[in-house]
Amino acid sequence: MGSISLTIDGQQVEVEEGATVLQAARKADIVIPTICDHKDLNPYGACRMCIVEIAGVRGFPTSCTTPAAPGMQVVTQSARLTELRNRTLELMFSGHPNSCLVCIHREACEQYRPKVTKAARSTRCGFCANRDECDLRTMALSAGKNELSLPTLYASYNLERDDPFMDRDYNLCVLCGKCWRICEKIHGKPAISIINRGKWARIGTAFDKSHVFSGCTFCGGCIDICPTGTLTDRFARWQGKPEADTPSACILCSEGCSVVAQSKGGQLLAYTMTGFNKEAGLCALGRFGAAQIAASNQRLIRPLVREGEDLIPFDWQGAIAAAAEGLKDCAGGVVLVISAATSREDRFLYVQLAEQLQGRMLLLPAEAGEDDPQVQALAAAVQGGTIRAVIANGNLLPVEMMAKVPFSLIIDCLHSPASSGASVVLPAAVLSESGGTFRTATGAIKQLAVSSQAPGDALPEWRIVCDLAQALGLTGFDFERVEAVTPLVADDPAPAPVSGDPRQNVRDLIPRFRGHLLADVVSALAAFGLPTTPAETSEETTGVGFPILEKREIAPNMHFFKVKAEKVAQFSLPGQFVILMAKETSERSPFTLVDWDAAEGTISLVIEEVGRSSRELASLKAGDRIAHVSGPLGLPLTIENKGTVLLGGGCYGIGAIFPLARALRQAGNRVICAIEASSAYLLYMQKELATACDQLIIATKDGSEGVRGGIQEVLAQVAAQEPVDQFIAVGCTFMMRMVTEISRTLNIPTLVALNPIMVDGTGMCGACRVSVGDKTRFACIDGPIFDGHGVDWDELASRRSAYAREEVQALSQSVDLNALMHQPHAQSHGGGCGCGR
Amino acid sequence: MTTNEPMPEQTEAAPKKGRVKTPRQPMPEQDPRRRRTNFEEVPRGYSEETAMLEASRCIQCKKPGCVEGCPVNIHIPAFIKLIAEGKFIDALLKLKEQTALPAVCGRVCPQESQCEARCILGKKGEPVAIGRLERFAADYARKHGGVPDPAKAAPTGKRVAVVGAGPAGITVAGELARWGHEVVMFEALHLAGGVLMYGIPQFRLPKEIVQYEVNNLKRLGVTIHTDYVIGKTETVGQLMETFDAVFIATGAGLPVFLGIPNENAIGVFSANEFLTRANLMRAIDFPRFATSPIRPRRAVTVGGGNVAMDSARTALRLGGESTIVYRRSKAEMPARAEEVHHAEEEGVVFHLLTNPVRIVTDAQNRVTGVECLRMELGEPDASGRRRPVAVKGSEFVIPADTVIVAIGNQPNPLVPQTAPEINTSKWGTIATDPVTMMTSKPGVFAGGDIVSGAATVISAMGQGKMAALAMHRYLMGGDPPQ
Amino acid sequence: MSFAARQQQAEAAWQTFEQPDRLRILVGSATCGRAAGSLEVMQAFADELAKHGLTEAADMVEVGCLGMCYAEVMVEIRGRDGKRVLYQGVEPRHAAALIETQLVRGEVYLPLALAVMTGVDEAVPTFAELPMIKPQVRIVLRNCGIIDPTNIDHYLARGGYQGMTRAFAMGPDQVIEEMKASGLRGRGGAGFPTGVKWGFARNSVADQKYVICNADEGDPGAFMDRSVLEGDPHAVLEGLLIAGYAIGASIGYVYCRAEYPLAIERLQGAITQMHELGFLGGDILGSGFGFEIKIKKGAGAFVCGEETSLMQSIEGKRGMPLSKPPFPAVSGLFGKPTNINNVETLAAVSAIMEKGAAWYAGYGTEKSRGTKTFALAGKISRTGLIEVPMGISLRTIINEIGGGVLDGKQFKAVQTGGPSGGCIPAQFIDLAVDYERLAEVGSIMGSGGMIVIDEESCMVDMARYFLSFTENESCGKCVPCRMGTQHLLRMLTTITEGRGTLEQLDIMRKIGDAMKNASLCGLGQTAANPVLTTLQYFEDEYRAHIVDKKCPAGACRALIRFDIDPARCTGCGACLRACPVAAISGEKKQPHAIDQELCIQCGSCRQACKFAAVLVD
């Protein structure tokens, strides 16, 4: 292909024939804004941001779709182009929650709450898991857009969590089409496309079925390419931007796919594709499963040594000694059973160990389990009584067989029947935690890079084998680095390829890793029909707990609950809260009472879904039971006639001020309720509040309804018009802090309902201590309502984020996330359309 | 000890002379280096043989001092004799006559200052390991299908409310239920057991044992309402409208802090919070259980009592270095010797005669250290212990990311706050008649730490026994059936 | 059989059909006629013929549509005297009288007679002289309503396929020149010269090329294409074949919306007939040209009228427009050079090739040659499908052909070009209708929708209606169209509900500007037109909604109230019975009153009142 020459912004540019104007501009370092263009995808022309002017061409062609032509005269910057691009950007933003970008308090708010807000739906940037990586936000900030005249048209789609591994929030989607285009590129026939039309156009599968039945292979390409927070990896969602991208390879099967290991804080977040092309495609297991295996709560983290019936955690020294002791006199009677899902170096050392112990070594295919023919043959040999010790690096041996061998050593990463039946268990570092090389089925040798830390005391297998061999007095095991082993590894044979093509068909995924049923570890895999170990019947909890009579999502992430709790309802007073535990394993979390009905025996709550506890609650339905409801707790608000009382509520506080307003009005006060939200679609309970107060004032940060701004602005406005005798604020810490600063200057007595972390809620633990007026108070028994002007807000804010990291861990590691996945859709959609399903 | 010396107060059933030579049987324990990495129970319990051997050491005194030393007056020689005879189940039944919680008491009672302190063998040698034998009997029975429920008297028609399902409450409930009263317990937390659940760590008292005992209570017909905060969900006054008597045993659950600068920094915990997260909320099983654990790298525990030892040892097991800071010397430590010993064994570092004066923090308000002053012992104070005096200019900083304050608890204020008719002391404890255990409100009794201030499990149980008797008398006008 | 021989045979058949002494009943049974009940009418005629023993003697034929929608069901009856009388508004109950009167007694049944098709009658006007027909020039619609669309002989006898043979004789390049000479411009909306377009595709070198007939007629109220397909399918197919020949394509697609089942049936029948006669297949009539035609049913997405979307849809993908370039003539269907024309264009092609470019170019204006069909609708007396020469004035169309505004109301504006078009206010009633003039006043020719608006129609509400259509039909791919239509609709809705602000007028103009200049395809580029043109010509109506909270046309429910004028009310109770929410009360013979709390402003009372006593404010 020849090259052609054109002029862009007066600059002569040479490009290859076939290049687009956008590519030509990039070559000349001329920046043209775009969202839908991607270097690995064909031109699409949907976002319309990259429009340019071309001499002799009518209108404003998009540079991404226009082929460069010889002699072309292109202008990329002009007043008209800026005008059109800004309007287009504004239009694009109006379909994406943008209130944080236009909020006058944005910078203060972002400084004040740096931690992730683990909301289900990202209703604004402050809540968005993708905040750091959002192309849209970057583009808007660089365009300096904080004057958007168009209201947000929030589509109010439910958060889609009926698929394994991913959360999909189409309220954030700007239809750049990258997801379905990469899907088409990798798989030929895309599992997703734009569905519906016009206002309801969004990305989806044919007939809107679960991705499990749409031909989706869960390669994660769509998630990796999504420029907004629409598509997220459920496991890694809240971890934020990865700190490191390390090229490595996946050892879960003999394919040995090249991957980029994303990690943060020593934790593996995901294996992602090395590029956006068909060849780089990963299977669901590699893409999503690897990180979940690494972070599994079933990981072996300490050496264990059998003591009678119990396996007791040991330190390494003691455990290696115990293992050496067990193997001491077994030479000639040792069998090593090693999975092929092991690096070449580790395997080499196992072979050396077997040879020096004059033992045998069985190498099992990566996907094999204890039913492998070699293992079956071994079981027969065990019956003969000649085998004195077995070593396995996985759940590869039947427990009954191990019971017949005097000594069994398991070197593995996960708890299993084998490890619980072993004499000694040594925890191994796996996947991204251990280096070396790996030979694939095609014979290629791939480098394994260490990019995350092994949990607890786990060590790489080469290290374990070397230590063990040295403790046994064997020679040739004094390696300090795995790289020193690599040159010694002989020309090992390539493993057999896996049957099927798991990268193209999720139902071909290998079911095991080192003998562990993967669906036990990565529960989402069960959705593809991968086998699991039948669960032991869980504790019987039917009929126990507090029945949910009503549950609705009244605004995005805001769930209204009506719960039967007769005693709580009977004794509740305005300002009090309850402590809830969704399940026996849940945290104790406080929630303010929104209403109660003693006669009916019910209490009402508004619960914002922003973390594991609230997520567990949100996953309950009417008819389900909340395991524990304790309350009413806290000191109620003293209800007196003060004159004019202004109540300010934001987030959950909108609901929480309702009983205060009602009681204060009954006591003869003039009650003004002010409620704030980022945007109109986040408001709720306006009707109820309007009936409970004398005046309802609404404020939105983007001006989509009522006053533009927040409670601060309303407070200033109201105070300018009439004397306010009492001001009470309930909401996020940021809001309460900001309003107290204003009310202080206005000399208005101010109460705030504080929301620190609590455990018991009865004064027992002191977790909820806050500094008010230089005294330490317990919010649970001295509060939660305090004089706002005395609160040490910095302390409160910092204490509230004390567990930010652990909370993120809890979300990603908990099995509950998959519990949110609904039952797989019926495989048939009813027939009649002729598609055969 | 010389073997020839005749033993005083020997009974007919006394073993042959040679027997007393049998040394006190040690209980197998996990190796300290190993156990500091796990939450498994430290002592592994006697085997049947060892238990019988140890039981055989008891000389069956006629006037057994041990029984007097026991706050609940267990028939100690009798149950030990049954063990010596291999009648393990009968031994437990004997224990159960006097205690509702033998498996618990056998583990957490300070026997060395109670029953075993009075053991005659201890005068010249080592006392019989009464606690270990109690524990053995209870564990044996539990592992072998339990024991038949004790006989229950005919219903009296009286209804009793027990507020707080800790050791005192459990004792009262067990006694009163056996005597035929209808007992309803109210527990503020989501699991019954009180300090046995939230405070004492797994490695000292497995939680399964507590729940086993709680279930025994339920089998006796005691109704247990968890998530029921008396003082909030309902007041004592309201309870009295439907119950004939109320027993308040809400414990000493209000943590005391040091009152030094930066004490509200992230990383400073009350021992209550630290232990509650680990034990009751099972943060040690995080993330299967949702409560976030504290993972100290360098933990400093302030205090010298049992709770401080529990905290320091838990911190150790959660993966960190663990240091105890105590302002007096080891001799003044209120903790059980065995606990201090275990802590030392496991590698807890003791900074004695050291007093924290300031928490050092970083810009994020997270703890980075504890600034301390060295102390020396001065003149004795009112308690008779020598008063620690600060050494001027001796400030130094112990690096820490976690500080656990274990300097005691005050009575929980929820009930006193909402029951003004019940008189309290200036310390916030509930005042009771020392004989009738009744508060200033007729029909309302109280016991345990809410009356005595923070003390031990067994003393709370002892108070519970007394209160149960007093309440029965109040309700029925006579003594309970034997 | 040679083409000439076959044509002779067809002409013979046509002669038999046209034989004046045979009884004949033609029933307009395109979809419009069927909707009006033509099949029932036919059955009634069949029954009646049987009664009179005339079943054998009479031919009864379903024909296409004459375009006089207001007069459906239309039946043409030829009696023994050869007189062909066109009746309007025929219902089954009329069959007896019609047969008795015309077939038995040989007289014209005057109550329903609309016109005589040939000759002159004292009592009935001649068809060609009807005010609706006289200004029309029917080229595309030349056979509709005249021939039996299922009978290829009828088409052949009326000159059909002579264009094809003429084309074969000329050779492709000459055909393209002929098209250029005719001045024919694409009738789908954009008006690009057809011959030039064919030239592009012809010049593209490829192993395979395609021609596509775009029969995905989507404008609300437009049915020109359907009518032609149902009434004269061969005219379109012949045009498609000629186009294929001209550019060198061997496969043609007809992309027809699935909502047109009768059209699809007729097309399928016609294709079968073409095969039988050797007009399809390899080496057609020895020309060396081979051609096949496939029908592709569309699922009714408006955007699939856009050529790149349509091709995506044929390929089995979601119908979404692609950016141009590359143009379809270079890379179209399956990446091959493709030419795409709409139904009306192709029907004109076959006529032009039959009669010559000069003949066609004789009609119309300098830059807009030939004729254009329009679907005349809205508040007009004679709705229907018409075909007029370019350059005809709006006044002629509305007042003569259409018979003026319905019920003698005041003419306010006419909307042309469907949802992509604009509103032309009354002041331009003398505008000559061609591509250039329409563009000058901010509207477009479009595919031929023409909606007449009277004084009682609200321009804001009308814009809202069109935006609700485009908002729903936007494919959602590009930002300005997807989001712009939503915002425009939302703002128009708030204005019609009296909640609008003056600031919105400016915002709407700005959004419209962005849509026009930055949208990907024609849908988005034109979707704001209804708003922009009404804002241009009727801003005062917008302001009345916003500032005075009044709808001057009395159409926006939220802004009007109905009251009963006691002076005019006779207390007849008609309004009371008509009210769906029982908001009207009153004693018999006493003036009634409307409870404003209950009233939902539906206007039923106003329609029901015979005394104009219901006032709207």
Side-chain angles (χ1 to χ4, degrees), chain C residues 18 55 80 84 161 163 279 336 458 462:
Chain C
E18 288 278 85
T55 308
R80 285 187 205 285
R84 291 161 55 193
Y161 291 104
F279 298 168
K336 302 293 181 186
C458 171
M462 210 222 29

Side-chain angles (χ1 to χ4, degrees), chain A residues 395-723:
Chain A
N395 181 32
L396 303 168
L397 307 172
V399 188
E400 315 81 66
M401 183 189 108
M402 286 165 67
K404 294 189 184 100
V405 181
F407 181 80
S408 50
L409 169 64
I410 298 292
I411 303 170
D412 195 10
C413 56
L414 293 161
H415 279 286
S416 68
S419 66
S420 53
S423 312
V424 174
V425 181
L426 302 177
V430 286
L431 302 168
S432 56
E433 300 152 6
S434 176
T437 56
F438 188 75
R439 191 183 290 277
T440 73
T442 59
I445 293 177
K446 292 193 179 176
Q447 197 68 41
L448 304 174
V450 179
S451 57
S452 65
Q453 291 163 5
D457 296 343
L459 289 175
E461 285 168 271
W462 64 268
R463 175 83 268 160
I464 298 173
V465 176
C466 287
D467 288 352
L468 177 62
Q470 283 174 328
L472 283 164
L474 306 178
T475 53
F477 288 92
D478 47 349
F479 299 102
E480 284 307 315
R481 293 159 53 247
V482 69
E483 289 76 17
V485 184
T486 312
L488 305 177
V489 182
D491 210 9
D492 54 336
V498 290
S499 57
D501 186 356
R503 299 198 299 167
Q504 287 298 321
N505 185 353
V506 278
R507 283 156 190 87
D508 286 348
L509 287 175
I510 60 161
R512 285 195 187 82
F513 169 56
R514 297 195 172 185
H516 306 280
L517 286 177
L518 281 161
D520 288 350
V521 188
V522 183
S523 56
L525 289 170
F528 309 130
L530 260 61
T532 55
T533 307
E536 285 170 38
T537 46
S538 57
E539 289 163 47
E540 191 62 46
T541 49
T542 334
V544 184
F546 298 78
I548 300 169
L549 304 182
E550 203 181 321
K551 192 219 154 195
R552 286 174 286 131
E553 191 170 7
I554 50 177
N557 299 333
M558 289 288 175
H559 300 270
F560 173 86
F561 284 79
K562 190 182 247 188
V563 182
K564 188 103 177 161
E566 287 168 3
K567 284 293 172 186
V568 182
Q570 198 178 333
F571 295 100
S572 291
L573 290 167
Q576 290 190 299
F577 63 93
V578 288
I579 289 218
L580 304 185
M581 288 175 75
K583 301 187 297 184
E584 295 298 335
T585 54
S586 301
E587 265 189 289
R588 293 174 65 95
S589 314
F591 296 96
T592 309
L593 286 162
V594 165
D595 201 359
W596 52 89
D597 184 334
E600 202 182 56
T602 59
I603 56 170
S604 300
L605 304 159
V606 171
I607 294 175
E608 183 172 24
E609 189 182 341
V610 284
R612 176 168 169 176
S613 301
S614 51
R615 189 143 309 163
E616 283 174 347
L617 286 161
S619 67
L620 299 174
K621 309 177 292 294
D624 291 347
R625 284 161 186 269
I626 296 176
H628 298 285
V629 176
S630 166
L633 299 170
L635 295 177
L637 176 73
T638 314
I639 304 293
E640 300 165 331
N641 190 345
K642 296 260 186 187
T644 299
V645 182
L646 175 63
L647 291 167
C651 301
Y652 73 93
I654 294 176
I657 61 170
F658 173 73
L660 306 181
R662 189 173 49 189
L664 286 166
R665 198 174 184 215
Q666 269 168 14
N669 292 285
R670 167 170 158 72
V671 177
I672 305 170
C673 282
I675 57 175
E676 66 162 27
S678 288
S679 192
Y681 56 85
L682 293 167
L683 293 163
Y684 61 93
M685 276 185 76
Q686 298 101 307
K687 261 188 201 158
E688 291 86 341
L689 281 168
T691 60
C693 67
D694 296 288
Q695 192 189 347
L696 175 66
I697 304 172
I698 290 169
T700 51
K701 299 289 170 76
D702 63 353
S704 51
E705 195 171 331
V707 179
R708 188 184 178 107
I711 304 289
Q712 295 104 295
E713 282 70 25
V714 177
L715 172 63
Q717 281 178 20
V718 172
Q721 281 162 11
E722 59 180 308

Side-chain angles (χ1 to χ4, degrees), chain A residues 234-297:
Chain A
R234 190 176 295 148
F235 172 79
R237 180 171 174 193
W238 300 110
Q239 305 277 6
K241 201 170 182 166
E243 281 165 2
D245 286 342
T246 315
S248 187
C250 172
I251 63 158
L252 289 171
C253 77
S254 57
E255 294 283 301
C257 297
S258 295
V259 299
V260 172
Q262 295 188 333
S263 57
K264 181 169 193 171
Q267 191 191 342
L268 178 65
L269 302 184
Y271 276 170
T272 57
M273 291 187 282
T274 53
F276 288 112
N277 53 62
K278 189 176 167 66
E279 295 66 38
L282 296 178
C283 74
L285 184 59
R287 171 62 180 81
F288 297 99
Q292 293 195 36
I293 294 168
S296 168
N297 56 17

Side-chain angles (χ1 to χ4, degrees), chain A residues 48 80 87 94 194 196 198, chain C residues 318 474 482 487 513 517-518:
Chain A
R48 315 307 290 173
R80 183 69 174 133
R87 281 181 198 155
S94 68
I194 301 183
N196 306 332
Chain C
R318 182 174 196 264
S474 163
R482 180 181 73 244
H487 282 289
D513 175 52
N517 289 292

Side-chain angles (χ1 to χ4, degrees), chain C residues 43-369:
Chain C
Q43 186 58 48
F45 273 100
D47 295 347
E48 207 56 39
L49 288 172
K51 263 189 215 163
H52 291 276
L54 292 171
T55 308
E56 292 301 315
D59 296 325
M60 190 154 57
V61 181
E62 281 181 48
V63 294
C65 163
L66 278 170
M68 305 167 94
C69 303
Y70 73 100
E72 294 285 1
V73 174
M74 304 194 77
V75 179
E76 182 196 318
I77 300 177
R78 183 171 64 196
R80 285 187 205 285
D81 56 359
K83 189 180 239 176
R84 291 161 55 193
V85 185
L86 184 64
Y87 296 98
Q88 63 176 330
V90 180
E91 296 171 27
R93 66 189 167 99
H94 299 131
L98 282 165
I99 285 180
E100 172 70 24
T101 311
Q102 197 177 355
L103 295 191
V104 178
R105 295 214 305 274
E107 292 165 19
V108 175
Y109 182 69
L110 287 173
L112 299 182
L114 176 67
V116 288
M117 295 306 286
T118 50
V120 182
D121 189 274
E122 301 130 30
V124 188
T126 306
F127 180 74
E129 294 300 317
L130 286 173
M132 187 180 186
I133 299 300
K134 198 175 176 194
Q136 295 196 40
V137 174
R138 296 168 76 95
I139 294 173
V140 168
L141 303 175
R142 59 193 180 272
N143 290 324
C144 288
I146 312 283
I147 64 166
D148 177 354
T150 62
N151 191 336
I152 195 171
D153 284 346
H154 286 193
Y155 181 69
L156 281 168
R158 286 179 55 90
Y161 291 104
Q162 287 181 12
M164 171 184 76
T165 51
R166 201 165 148 251
F168 289 164
M170 278 181 180
D173 292 325
Q174 199 52 45
V175 169
I176 290 172
E177 287 312 311
E178 184 81 358
M179 292 320 297
K180 286 179 181 166
S182 76
L184 176 64
R185 292 168 64 173
R187 296 294 189 242
F192 193 81
T194 306
V196 178
K197 194 171 179 179
W198 287 10
F200 290 149
R202 166 125 196 107
N203 292 338
S204 289
V205 182
D207 53 349
Q208 175 71 57
K209 296 182 190 178
Y210 298 99
V211 283
I212 299 172
C213 168
N214 181 352
D216 192 56
E217 191 170 48
D219 284 2
F223 51 93
M224 299 75 65
D225 295 350
R226 193 203 70 219
S227 212
V228 178
L229 292 171
E230 290 176 354
D232 194 11
H234 285 290
V236 181
L237 296 175
E238 184 186 356
L240 183 63
L241 189 151
I242 293 167
Y245 175 72
I247 72 157
S250 60
I251 295 177
Y253 281 94
V254 182
Y255 185 85
C256 184
R257 55 195 294 149
E259 291 96 324
Y260 285 178
L262 186 61
I264 291 165
E265 185 188 318
R266 294 271 154 88
L267 282 167
Q268 272 160 345
I271 289 169
T272 311
Q273 290 167 348
M274 288 173 78
H275 269 290
E276 284 165 1
L277 268 60
F279 298 168
L280 286 178
D283 191 17
I284 297 164
L285 302 183
S287 64
F289 172 62
F291 196 64
E292 291 293 347
I293 296 178
K294 297 175 184 176
I295 298 172
K296 204 84 188 177
K297 282 188 264 187
F302 181 64
V303 76
C304 287
E306 196 281 335
E307 55 187 13
T308 55
S309 304
L310 187 153
M311 290 185 290
Q312 295 268 296
S313 177
I314 292 179
E315 289 177 22
K317 298 175 182 165
R318 182 174 196 264
M320 277 195 295
L322 303 177
S323 292
K324 292 180 278 195
F327 289 93
V330 176
S331 172
L333 188 62
F334 301 112
K336 302 293 181 186
T338 303
N339 179 73
I340 180 160
N341 291 119
N342 96 320
V343 168
E344 186 181 342
T345 313
L346 293 173
V349 164
S350 50
I352 290 166
M353 288 311 295
E354 178 201 347
K355 296 203 171 150
W359 162 78
Y360 188 76
Y363 295 102
T365 58
E366 190 198 341
K367 287 188 172 170
S368 302
R369 301 281 177 181

Side-chain angles (χ1 to χ4, degrees), chain B residues 12-40:
Chain B
E12 296 141 324
K16 285 172 221 147
K17 277 186 183 175
R19 280 278 178 87
V20 292
K21 278 189 187 162
T22 310
R24 179 173 159 114
Q25 294 300 305
M27 180 153 51
E29 281 182 358
Q30 274 199 72
D31 179 80
R33 225 181 52 205
R34 182 191 323 157
R35 73 184 187 233
R36 59 170 292 172
T37 65
N38 66 46
F39 281 90
E40 302 292 316

Side-chain angles (χ1 to χ4, degrees), chain A residues 798-817:
Chain A
S798 71
R799 287 187 64 81
R800 277 176 54 78
S801 57
Y803 296 99
R805 184 85 203 134
E806 286 83 359
E807 283 164 13
V808 168
Q809 248 186 359
L811 268 174
S812 59
Q813 293 190 11
S814 81
V815 290
D816 307 309
L817 293 177

